[in-house]
Amino acid sequence: MEQILANGVYLGSQYAMIALGLTLIFALMNVLNFAHGQMYVIGGFVTYTFYGQWGVPFVLALVMSCVTLAILGALIERYLFAPVIKGSAREESTMLLAAGIAFFLDAVILLVFGEKQRGVPKIIDGVFNYDFKLIMPYDRILICFLAILSIVAFIGLMQYTKTGRALRALAQDRTAAQLMGVNVDRYSMIGFALGAMLAGLVGGLLVTITGVNLGMGGPTSIKAFMMVMIGGAGVISGAIWGGIILGFMEAIGLALLYQYGDITYLLIFVSLMIFLAIRPQGLMGKPWG
Amino acid sequence: MGFSGKQLMGVGIFLFVIFIGVPLIIAATGRWDFYYTLTSVALLAIASAGVWLTFYIGRINIGQGAFALIGAYVSAILVVKAGWSFWISLPAAGLFAALVAILIGLPILRLRGVYFAMITLVLTQVATLTALALPITNGAKGISSIPLPSGVSIFGIPLIPDFSSMENTKLAFYITACILMIVTYAALYRLVNSRLGHLCRSMQQNEELASSIGVNISYIRIVIFAISSFFGGIGGAMFGSIAQSVYPSSFQVADSVNFMLNCFLGGLGYVFGPMLGTLVLYFGWDLLFEFGKYQMLIYSTILILLIRFLPNGLLSLSIGKGDKK
């Protein structure tokens, strides 16, 4: 039981970070970022290249992942999403653009990094073992700790800095924020870059444990969508709850139902549909987000 | 419904091109593989028509892959295990998909906007996982070596020849797929220009307002979702019959996204948009095959540029020149 809970915390903290980036982008621009999983994969590959291949210290490699993705996110927002949102008759056109970007990033990953599964050397060796009831490798504990730290830092940024206040104002009401003197274009770009950066950071953290490969993008996006739906689209606390809930469901399901194979995910999907039928806006979302 | 001479002529030219022009060109150039490509375009266009119809009531449907997969499996199981004729299993597949759509639609059609888009995306994943888990679908091995469609005759008059006795099944499948596509779009055109179509447009603009003036919105959205999934089921069943096999991976999340892209690219305001979008996307993808590993890169770059500079769809180029819908 302790093991399941520990796995749940570990998975949940990772998932929450992925969902945070997605929900931030959604809250600010009303864009469903299909390319989020691909951004996560790119983050993983950047850390792999710096830390695994060139021997740069892990923390520096993580920073490089964040910087790369932040720049990528900013460029995508500035030159693709912003003009399309302005020029399109329907908001939904951004979905087509997001899907196109997902395809594009997949193609770039394939050309630059290849299709092989990549892994990096362990950051710390050794396994934490509490009386054989709770077994957890030290590197997982460290990654989990770093993930929670990043989430706390992110919440701090959103709550207590000027940028965070501007972003929250933008998410609440675009027009009102503009009237209050928030530079809407600039903060949209910053928000998108921040969301992409979170995806890159998780990618960089997880490459040390699960490795990274080209095919991880799509499924990661779908999981992120599920977390956002559980918690409510565009709500920061909702994304964290969604991540934790999905992490625990997966940990418990995989532990109890492992002999049935993929049935865990089927059950999660079905229960999500039932949950959404009862509460369409998720746990914390605004109705009709 | 009155048709102008211009419209009739357009339909005439279109029919002439797909039934006489294309076979002649293919015979002249010897590119027999184009038959398969064009057949796929016709079938994907049928499924995309369904996605377009759900958009017509203001819902973004990324779940058409689920219904195409359901249709493909229902038809394959009926033909292989129950020994039905393919031509009876085809409508049965469509009807079963529609039935599933009604059951699933009752709860999820209450969702709107991005929530509906996400839940339908998840639905595609559920369909794949269900196909893997159920015993009747044979798990990951799928159902293979489905027999070709048999002949149909009424009172001894052969209506549809036996496909397995034909030398050129590619041409036969091409013509079948085109006929299905034309029937689908004719039905879609009729639907959009009927009373139901007007009600759908009112819902697309504002559901509360439509409801307040007496439109039964929950009934209409179920009906529309069922019709949409019927198209998906038909398209999927026909696809399974051509490939002669169905696997859980036959229709995946990427296919669902592609159905949506077809509609968006063609333009959501036009009935024939999804057909054009499918043709451009699928044919373009096929033509880029020669670029080898750069295929995806070029394809996605073109896609991004198209949406960047034509955010309202390809057909939006002809706005103002009339011929709307």
Side-chain angles (χ1 to χ4, degrees):
Chain A
M1 193 60 209
E2 292 89 344
Q3 184 69 44
I4 297 176
L5 289 180
N7 285 346
V9 172
Y10 163 72
L11 278 172
S13 61
Q14 313 295 345
Y15 285 173
M17 273 181 79
I18 303 179
L20 267 181
L22 189 72
T23 213
L24 177 68
I25 292 175
F26 178 75
L28 291 180
M29 342 234 330
N30 232 347
V31 165
L32 194 54
N33 186 13
F34 280 101
H36 208 70
Q38 275 76 12
M39 291 176 170
Y40 156 88
V41 173
I42 291 182
F45 270 116
V46 170
T47 299
Y48 159 77
T49 311
F50 276 91
Y51 171 67
Q53 292 208 297
W54 298 346
V56 175
F58 179 66
V59 178
L60 217 60
L62 268 187
V63 173
M64 285 312 296
S65 275
C66 295
V67 171
T68 315
L69 263 298
I71 293 172
L72 187 70
L75 289 178
I76 287 176
E77 201 282 330
R78 181 84 179 74
Y79 292 104
L80 294 173
F81 277 110
V84 168
I85 290 173
K86 283 203 181 77
S88 159
R90 291 175 194 203
E91 263 182 357
E92 288 86 2
S93 298
T94 58
M95 281 176 117
L96 172 58
L97 180 64
I101 292 172
F103 288 148
F104 180 77
L105 293 182
D106 254 342
V108 170
I109 296 168
L110 178 66
L111 288 176
V112 177
F113 298 106
E115 56 198 315
K116 284 203 192 93
Q117 164 83 18
R118 303 287 190 190
V120 295
K122 274 185 175 296
I123 343 171
I124 335 167
D125 283 322
V127 174
F128 176 77
N129 187 342
Y130 175 72
D131 202 19
F132 286 100
K133 275 189 203 141
L134 179 64
I135 302 170
M136 200 90 176
Y138 280 125
D139 55 350
R140 288 200 182 206
I141 299 174
L142 178 72
I143 295 300
C144 180
F145 176 71
L146 283 177
I148 293 172
L149 199 70
S150 322
I151 293 173
V152 171
F154 176 77
I155 294 173
L157 175 85
M158 290 303 278
Q159 291 296 333
Y160 300 111
T161 66
K162 200 178 163 204
T163 315
R165 212 161 38 239
L167 289 177
R168 278 185 292 138
L170 208 57
Q172 267 182 13
D173 192 323
R174 221 179 161 78
T175 318
Q178 197 164 19
L179 288 173
M180 294 299 133
V182 175
N183 187 342
V184 170
D185 292 338
R186 186 158 146 245
Y187 279 102
S188 295
M189 193 167 94
I190 292 176
F192 204 102
L194 203 61
M197 195 185 90
L198 278 172
L201 184 59
V202 196
L205 285 174
L206 277 185
V207 73
T208 58
I209 292 166
T210 54
V212 63
N213 70 58
L214 176 63
M216 283 163 84
T220 307
S221 293
I222 292 183
K223 272 189 194 163
F225 289 168
M226 288 174 62
M227 295 178 256
V228 166
M229 276 191 286
I230 294 172
V235 188
I236 303 275
S237 54
I240 295 172
W241 275 111
I244 292 171
I245 289 171
L246 187 71
F248 270 93
M249 278 169 88
E250 222 179 289
I252 295 169
L254 289 176
L256 297 180
L257 301 165
Y258 62 93
Q259 67 265 48
Y260 302 109
D262 268 340
I263 199 108
T264 306
Y265 287 96
L266 194 57
L267 280 180
I268 292 179
F269 285 132
V270 172
S271 43
L272 175 68
M273 292 182 94
I274 296 169
F275 168 69
L276 282 181
I278 300 161
R279 200 171 162 78
Q281 71 270 36
L283 282 177
M284 320 219 156
K286 301 163 271 188
W288 314 129
Chain B
M1 282 202 317
F3 289 104
S4 68
K6 209 171 140 194
Q7 277 174 318
L8 281 178
M9 206 170 76
V11 172
I13 292 172
F14 177 71
L15 291 178
F16 179 80
V17 166
I18 60 170
F19 285 120
I20 299 169
V22 168
L24 279 180
I25 293 169
I26 288 180
T29 54
R31 289 293 299 265
W32 289 94
D33 56 315
F34 275 176
Y35 270 135
Y36 184 73
T37 313
L38 287 172
T39 310
S40 306
V41 168
L43 295 178
L44 294 175
I46 294 172
S48 304
V51 179
W52 186 88
L53 191 59
T54 6
F55 192 82
Y56 214 61
I57 53 166
R59 296 287 198 283
I60 307 157
N61 183 352
I62 327 181
Q64 192 69 323
F67 295 104
L69 193 67
I70 290 172
Y73 266 113
V74 168
S75 163
I77 288 167
L78 287 179
V79 170
V80 172
K81 301 206 169 151
W84 287 28
S85 162
F86 171 74
W87 303 109
I88 307 174
S89 81
L90 187 65
L95 287 176
F96 189 81
L99 188 71
V100 174
I102 292 172
L103 290 179
I104 295 179
L106 279 172
I108 70 168
L109 278 166
R110 292 171 60 219
L111 303 175
R112 286 184 204 183
V114 84
Y115 287 95
F116 186 78
M118 286 194 281
I119 193 87
T120 47
L121 190 71
V122 170
L123 191 63
T124 319
Q125 191 80 4
V126 173
T128 308
L129 288 176
T130 313
L132 278 170
L134 284 182
I136 196 166
T137 53
N138 232 355
K141 287 197 292 287
I143 299 173
S144 52
S145 58
I146 303 167
L148 286 167
S150 54
V152 171
S153 52
I154 294 176
F155 307 122
I157 308 158
L159 285 179
I160 304 167
D162 193 347
F163 273 49
S164 52
S165 67
M166 253 186 274
E167 290 168 36
N168 194 350
T169 47
K170 276 183 182 162
L171 181 63
F173 271 123
Y174 170 72
I175 289 179
T176 317
C178 284
I179 291 172
L180 276 178
M181 179 177 81
I182 288 162
V183 172
T184 304
Y185 278 87
L188 194 63
Y189 185 84
R190 182 69 190 85
L191 187 106
V192 165
N193 288 295
S194 67
R195 191 182 126 79
L196 189 59
H198 288 287
L199 295 179
C200 292
R201 274 198 292 286
S202 73
M203 281 173 66
Q204 188 186 8
Q205 282 168 8
N206 190 331
E207 268 187 28
E208 279 82 18
L209 197 58
S211 171
S212 74
I213 53 170
V215 178
N216 188 348
I217 56 170
S218 50
Y219 170 73
I220 288 178
R221 57 192 185 199
I222 293 279
V223 168
I224 293 290
F225 194 53
I227 296 173
S228 145
S229 307
F230 181 81
F231 289 157
I234 295 274
M238 196 72 210
F239 226 101
S241 164
I242 290 176
Q244 294 190 283
S245 55
V246 191
Y247 303 102
S249 58
S250 294
F251 291 98
Q252 292 175 323
V253 171
D255 297 287
S256 281
V257 173
N258 276 329
F259 288 135
M260 178 194 72
L261 291 186
N262 293 337
C263 296
F264 279 101
L265 192 73
L268 290 162
Y270 316 91
V271 173
F272 300 106
M275 208 195 289
L276 182 74
T278 317
L279 183 74
V280 171
L281 275 182
Y282 196 85
F283 218 72
W285 170 252
D286 221 53
L287 286 179
L288 289 172
F289 183 73
E290 289 164 26
F291 291 97
K293 64 174 182 174
Y294 297 104
Q295 184 184 21
M296 188 68 160
L297 189 70
I298 299 171
Y299 174 79
S300 51
T301 311
I302 295 172
L303 194 63
I304 291 174
L305 289 178
L306 270 178
I307 191 67
R308 167 70 181 80
F309 295 105
L310 290 175
N312 298 321
L314 283 178
L315 283 178
S316 65
L317 277 180
S318 62
I319 279 186
K321 292 179 197 162
D323 205 30
K324 251 181 121 181
K325 279 203 259 313

